[in-house]
Amino acid sequence: MNHERLVEATVGQITERPGRIVAAFLLVTLAFAGGLSNVSTEAGTEQFASGIPAEEALEDVRQEFGTPFAADTGATQLVQRNRNVLSKPAMLRMLRAQERLEETDGLRVAGTSSAAATVATTIDPSARTTEERIRTLERATPSEIDAAVRENADNPAFTGAVSDDFNAEAASASATIGVVTHEVPGLGSGGAAAGQSGSSPMTDIQLRSQRVVDTVGGDITVFGSGIISDEFATVISDSLLIVTPAAAVLIVFFLVVAYRDLLDLLLGTFALVMAVVWTFGFLGLAGIPFNQVMISIPPLLLAVGIDFGIHAVNRYREDRATGLDVGEAMGTAVRQLIVAFFIVTGTTVIGFLSNLSSALTPIRDFGVVAAVGITFTFLVFGVFLPAAKVWLDRRRDRIPIPVFSQTPLGAEGTRLARVLRTGVAVADRAPAAFLILVLVLTATSGAYATGISTSFSQEDFLPPEETPDYLEELPEPFAPDDYSAVATLNFLDEKFTASQGGSVTIYAEAHMERDTVLEELHRMGDDPPDTFVSEDGHAEERSLVTVIRSRAESDPEFRRLVARNDRNGNGIPDRNLGEVYDYLLESSSREATLQYLSEDRRSTRVVYDAEADADQSAVTADGRQVAERFRGDATATGNTVVFQAVSDLIFRSAVTSLAIALSLTVVFLLVVYGVLEGLPSLGIANTVPIVASVTLVAATMRAAGIPFNAFTATILSLTIGLGIDYSVHVVHRFIDERREHDLSTSLDRTVRGTGGALLGSMLTTTTGIGVLVFAILSVLGQFGVLTAISILYSFLASLLVLPSTLVLWDRLKGHDPDVPVDVAESAPFEFLRRRGSPEAVPSE
């Protein structure tokens, strides 16, 4: 068969021409290394929202309506904190900070606004420049300043810039926000949020602005999309800088324990590096950006690579111990392991590619890159490492590296062997009762796990407000940067609930000159849901209707125009709307009008404020319900709605990818074991410990309060991909041993031979991945813990649950437990089995 010839040809090349294989793999490594310089990065929340209807509607809003952050402008917030930011000295510091920013070349300042500027203009209406406003406040007495503050107590432009604790009588507040706008060519209408993507042109401007503002006084913090963007990107490099060395130290330590030979240690480590270089070289050559979810890929490659490496070397040592020479031992080991490696690779790739079902681009990219990386790992450890091992062992006498131990892990008579056969002892006594117990535990865990929550927020991608002390004590270059974004966000949420709270934007597409359209839009806010801020039975809104009413209050001529076209006298015109819009667009209200009316008069938006303590999911549901009240085409959008939509997609992604991964894995195992061994039912036995592991991981998530988020959404399909690794090795070794030994001896030899290698792999990978808990990103730490737990559960299930499963499988097949058995001679890959003369038994 073609498969047979391919495997035999590969074995022949490995044992007879190992130098050529090593040289070929080194050349490919150089080629992939060339792609490393092309790897780009992508960070933040915007990458997850791409393609979501609510995000598309939000983008339409940004493009069609003139927002405070118009096209090609960006905004910087100056957050001032003081016992009283409305005192004369504090307001002078704010104005001087804005003045210095205006005077600094390269900051492209287009305009400024602040509560201090409003107070100065109130005192002297002719003070139009920042310099004139500074002179006005310098000359003003404290009583004049207090009077000006009180005069603006009902001015939304003023009250929106001061904290919730503003006291008009005392003329005091503990915080205020000044705004500086910048002209940034090419920034686009989404400038205010451009930093979400991790590469904002505002970053350099705002970092320079902070240095300028620091020269004024210590109570003003610069904040904006550029600062957030900078921390999105910096936290990735800082996390890797901390985690990578720690993982390397732990991995090398456990590899030393597993290999106990310096040459094997160096070879295994080099193969791991090669797999990572191939994967990230592919990333650069394929033009796939490295996102924050992909931080987990290097540890995942290490997990599978370490497992393959330890198994290959351990099995080779077992065959060498029987007296075979280097070539014969490696040929036998490769023939025995190539099937297991292929099955592990196939099922792991299925687990990762199941993420292609996700609607979220970063998760799809993660699935593709991880699948490619696992395939590369299979090639490196299935072909390169055996060939390099043969080449080196034939020259070991000429290599001045000492040999410490060549004994396989779990050798008979050791303490480790006695511990590893715990599952065999249970299988010998009460396999059925034990599996019933496991089934009950699995069902209970699965039911409990249905209560896992989901989460998606900007803070998931930012460092915590307070960096742990043990990280602060790290020396350079490992010490993390000083982060402020989350602390500032929390401060703004606490002090400015009115202006910083959530909101829902209803984007409506309709013929805006139709007589009743404004009445219909306004009626959406009647009898508002509890999550919306409301007054007198109507939701507080900002819309075309509020622009019309505001203009009518100050403009008698416009008031008469509205009255002539208002048939029910509620202040909302319901005929000749084109004439009303023409008046607004030709007046000083043009800018305000274009915030809610598109140029072609085919769409509008209505903005509703949400209660500060309202749940994101409840606000989103209520926003969608309100949008349905409009007779035309209306979509609920805004950051709150978009984030909730992503959160919903994360949950659906986790469930869908789990279902696809599990079903395709079962089908794959049925087919593979049917083709290779003539026993498809082994595929079912193989999945029993995996199902148990998945439900236990999910239950652990809920018990630990870890939600599905952008990082943990892949954990269940990943558990299948990595967990199948352990059970496949056990099942495949069991079939080999069962052909030559009775049932009990076969299980005993399986757990001692394969179990030792699995233990070494489990300890190495759980500690190597577990160090992600030290990452600055808390969600990355959660992912690391869950991945380590999933590997631990998979290891325990393979050695505790699988032996009992195999005993019952053997009984159901009608095998005599006291004699060796074999599958049908007609199984297509019979040549891959351990050679011998066992008795034949019927196949399925």
Side-chain angles (χ1 to χ4, degrees):
M1 294 178 64
N2 292 334
H3 303 90
E4 296 177 5
R5 289 197 295 271
L6 177 61
V7 173
E8 284 301 322
T10 302
V11 171
Q13 292 293 323
I14 289 173
T15 57
E16 297 172 14
R17 299 179 180 85
R20 292 184 181 182
I21 291 179
V22 171
F25 271 75
L26 291 178
L27 289 175
V28 174
T29 302
L30 289 176
F32 276 120
L36 295 177
S37 60
N38 296 327
V39 177
S40 60
T41 60
E42 190 174 46
T45 59
E46 197 171 75
Q47 53 182 321
F48 287 88
S50 177
I52 295 175
E55 168 63 19
E56 292 176 347
L58 183 59
E59 187 59 30
D60 288 339
V61 168
R62 290 171 177 163
Q63 291 179 358
E64 294 185 23
F65 305 109
T67 67
F69 310 112
D72 295 329
T73 66
T76 294
Q77 290 180 316
L78 303 181
V79 183
Q80 187 175 26
R81 317 173 203 202
N82 196 282
R83 187 177 63 178
N84 182 14
V85 294
L86 300 179
S87 66
K88 180 176 179 177
M91 287 196 288
L92 282 172
R93 282 197 298 275
M94 172 62 77
L95 290 175
R96 286 171 181 148
Q98 293 181 320
E99 182 184 43
R100 293 184 187 181
L101 290 174
E102 291 173 343
E103 295 172 348
T104 302
D105 293 335
L107 295 184
R108 301 175 178 272
V109 175
T112 62
S113 64
S114 63
T118 302
V119 169
T121 304
T122 301
I123 295 173
D124 181 4
S126 66
R128 296 299 181 184
T129 67
T130 303
E131 182 181 3
E132 291 170 348
R133 291 164 181 165
I134 291 174
R135 284 200 301 267
T136 298
L137 285 186
E138 287 176 335
R139 296 168 182 170
T141 65
S143 59
E144 289 176 325
I145 291 175
D146 290 350
V149 169
R150 296 187 189 99
E151 187 176 338
N152 285 281
D154 295 323
N155 179 0
F158 177 82
T159 56
V162 295
S163 53
D164 296 340
D165 58 7
F166 167 60
N167 186 320
E169 185 64 28
S172 66
S174 63
T176 184
I177 299 174
V179 177
V180 180
T181 56
H182 310 266
E183 293 180 350
V184 187
L187 184 62
S189 60
Q196 307 286 327
S197 66
S199 56
S200 171
M202 291 296 297
T203 297
D204 182 62
I205 288 175
Q206 290 175 352
L207 291 177
R208 291 181 60 198
S209 295
Q210 182 64 69
R211 293 192 291 270
V212 173
V213 169
D214 286 342
T215 65
V216 175
D219 62 350
I220 301 178
T221 301
V222 172
F223 187 66
S225 62
I227 299 294
I228 293 175
S229 174
D230 180 60
E231 295 198 7
F232 275 150
T234 304
V235 73
I236 295 179
S237 56
D238 280 358
S239 294
L240 289 176
L241 195 59
I242 293 171
V243 168
T244 303
V249 170
L250 289 172
I251 287 173
V252 168
F253 171 76
F254 282 105
L255 285 179
V256 168
V257 175
Y259 286 127
R260 291 154 295 141
D261 180 82
L262 182 57
L263 194 60
D264 289 344
L265 172 64
L266 295 174
L267 177 58
T269 303
F270 181 78
L272 290 172
V273 172
M274 181 181 289
V276 172
V277 169
W278 281 31
T279 303
F280 280 84
F282 164 80
L283 202 68
L285 295 174
I288 300 174
F290 180 86
N291 61 60
Q292 285 158 309
V293 180
M294 291 185 190
I295 293 176
S296 59
I297 288 182
L300 296 177
L301 298 181
L302 296 180
V304 177
I306 288 168
D307 174 76
F308 282 5
I310 291 177
H311 270 91
V313 172
N314 208 54
R315 194 63 174 263
Y316 167 75
R317 289 179 179 178
E318 289 184 43
D319 291 317
R320 284 283 282 158
T322 64
L324 298 177
D325 65 22
V326 171
E328 292 173 335
M330 186 58 75
T332 303
V334 170
R335 290 187 184 94
Q336 294 163 348
L337 288 174
I338 195 91
V339 175
F341 284 180
F342 172 73
I343 295 173
V344 169
T345 301
T347 52
T348 306
V349 166
I350 287 173
F352 287 134
L353 288 183
S354 67
N355 290 297
L356 288 175
S357 63
S358 175
L360 303 174
T361 301
I363 292 180
R364 292 200 303 270
D365 288 346
F366 164 82
V368 170
V369 175
V372 170
I374 294 301
T375 303
F376 288 160
T377 303
F378 167 71
L379 294 174
V380 169
F381 285 89
V383 180
F384 168 78
L385 185 139
K389 177 69 173 166
V390 169
W391 191 87
L392 288 172
D393 276 8
R394 285 174 176 167
R395 293 162 178 78
R396 185 177 282 271
D397 294 340
R398 288 175 274 169
I399 300 175
I401 296 179
V403 177
F404 296 99
S405 175
Q406 292 288 310
T407 305
L409 284 170
E412 187 173 2
T414 63
R415 293 181 181 179
L416 176 59
R418 291 192 291 271
V419 173
L420 292 175
R421 72 178 316 277
T422 301
V424 177
V426 174
D428 285 342
R429 290 169 174 80
F434 181 67
L435 280 183
I436 291 174
L437 180 63
V438 170
L439 178 62
V440 172
L441 177 62
T442 300
T444 303
S445 299
Y448 176 73
T450 57
I452 299 176
S453 61
T454 58
S455 169
F456 183 80
S457 67
Q458 184 170 253
E459 285 78 1
D460 286 345
F461 299 85
L462 290 169
E465 181 172 354
E466 295 183 4
T467 304
D469 292 339
Y470 61 84
L471 293 180
E472 293 284 4
E473 298 298 324
L474 291 174
E476 293 294 344
F478 305 107
D481 283 354
D482 293 327
Y483 297 109
S484 62
V486 170
T488 304
L489 285 170
N490 291 339
F491 177 81
L492 294 176
D493 287 341
E494 177 186 352
K495 292 290 187 177
F496 298 85
T497 55
S499 60
Q500 299 294 321
S503 66
V504 174
T505 297
I506 306 299
Y507 173 64
E509 294 179 281
H511 180 46
M512 292 304 296
E513 293 186 1
R514 180 166 51 85
D515 286 351
T516 60
V517 68
L518 292 181
E519 292 278 8
E520 294 170 11
L521 287 167
H522 187 67
R523 279 198 296 270
M524 288 194 305
D526 291 339
D527 189 21
D530 293 338
T531 60
F532 283 23
V533 177
S534 62
E535 184 177 359
D536 298 329
H538 189 86
E540 290 191 7
E541 67 180 59
R542 297 183 298 282
S543 66
L544 199 52
V545 170
T546 60
V547 172
I548 290 172
R549 286 178 167 174
S550 176
R551 181 73 190 186
E553 288 179 2
S554 60
D555 185 339
E557 182 182 353
F558 182 70
R559 185 163 58 246
R560 288 191 294 271
L561 173 63
V562 171
R564 287 196 304 271
N565 295 287
D566 179 11
R567 286 176 286 194
N568 59 7
N570 65 350
I572 303 174
D574 46 25
R575 62 185 175 188
N576 298 323
L577 296 186
E579 184 180 352
V580 174
Y581 300 153
D582 289 340
Y583 188 102
L584 289 172
L585 293 172
E586 293 171 2
S587 70
S588 59
S589 298
R590 175 182 174 83
E591 182 178 340
T593 302
L594 290 177
Q595 290 184 33
Y596 303 100
L597 179 67
S598 63
E599 291 277 6
D600 61 4
R601 302 186 184 183
R602 305 295 299 180
S603 60
T604 186
R605 65 171 179 146
V606 182
V607 181
Y608 298 105
D609 289 327
E611 295 287 352
D613 58 349
D615 179 71
Q616 179 173 277
S617 60
V619 171
T620 299
D622 289 341
R624 290 169 178 165
Q625 182 183 19
V626 168
E628 291 174 358
R629 297 177 181 178
F630 184 63
R631 293 181 182 179
D633 186 6
T635 304
T637 185
N639 284 336
T640 300
V641 177
V642 170
F643 281 10
Q644 183 59 39
V646 174
S647 181
D648 293 341
L649 284 176
I650 285 174
F651 180 77
R652 288 200 294 272
S653 174
V655 174
T656 303
S657 62
L658 171 63
I660 292 174
L662 191 58
S663 58
L664 291 183
T665 295
V666 171
V667 172
F668 179 79
L669 290 175
L670 288 173
V671 172
V672 167
Y673 278 115
V675 171
L676 300 183
E677 303 288 358
L679 294 167
S681 58
L682 275 176
I684 302 297
N686 216 141
T687 59
V688 171
I690 300 307
V691 174
S693 299
V694 169
T695 57
L696 285 174
V697 169
T700 301
M701 287 182 67
R702 181 181 177 184
I706 300 176
F708 283 127
N709 54 46
F711 290 84
T712 59
T714 62
I715 193 66
L716 298 184
S717 59
L718 184 148
T719 300
I720 295 175
L722 292 181
I724 206 77
D725 187 357
Y726 292 87
S727 61
V728 163
H729 282 300
V730 172
V731 170
H732 191 71
R733 180 62 177 266
F734 170 76
I735 293 301
D736 279 347
E737 298 293 348
R738 191 68 178 96
R739 285 190 291 271
E740 299 182 1
H741 305 283
D742 61 73
L743 178 60
S744 181
T745 302
S746 298
L747 287 172
D748 184 70
R749 289 176 60 86
T750 295
V751 298
R752 283 193 293 103
T754 300
L758 291 179
L759 177 62
S761 174
M762 183 274 294
L763 289 175
T764 306
T765 52
T766 53
T767 52
I769 294 176
V771 298
L772 287 174
V773 73
F774 298 113
I776 301 171
L777 276 178
S778 59
V779 290
L780 189 57
Q782 292 173 353
F783 178 84
V785 169
L786 288 175
T787 304
I789 287 175
S790 71
I791 292 173
L792 175 62
Y793 287 170
S794 299
F795 167 77
L796 293 176
S798 295
L799 291 188
L800 296 178
V801 177
L802 197 49
S804 294
T805 304
L806 291 174
V807 167
L808 292 184
W809 174 85
D810 200 76
R811 290 179 184 176
L812 291 174
K813 295 298 297 175
H815 297 162
D816 186 342
D818 297 323
V819 298
V821 297
D822 194 9
V823 295
E825 292 293 332
S826 61
F829 275 25
E830 175 67 24
F831 80 102
L832 292 177
R833 301 193 183 117
R834 183 187 296 270
R835 290 167 182 163
S837 55
E839 300 176 23
V841 297
S843 66
E844 290 188 356

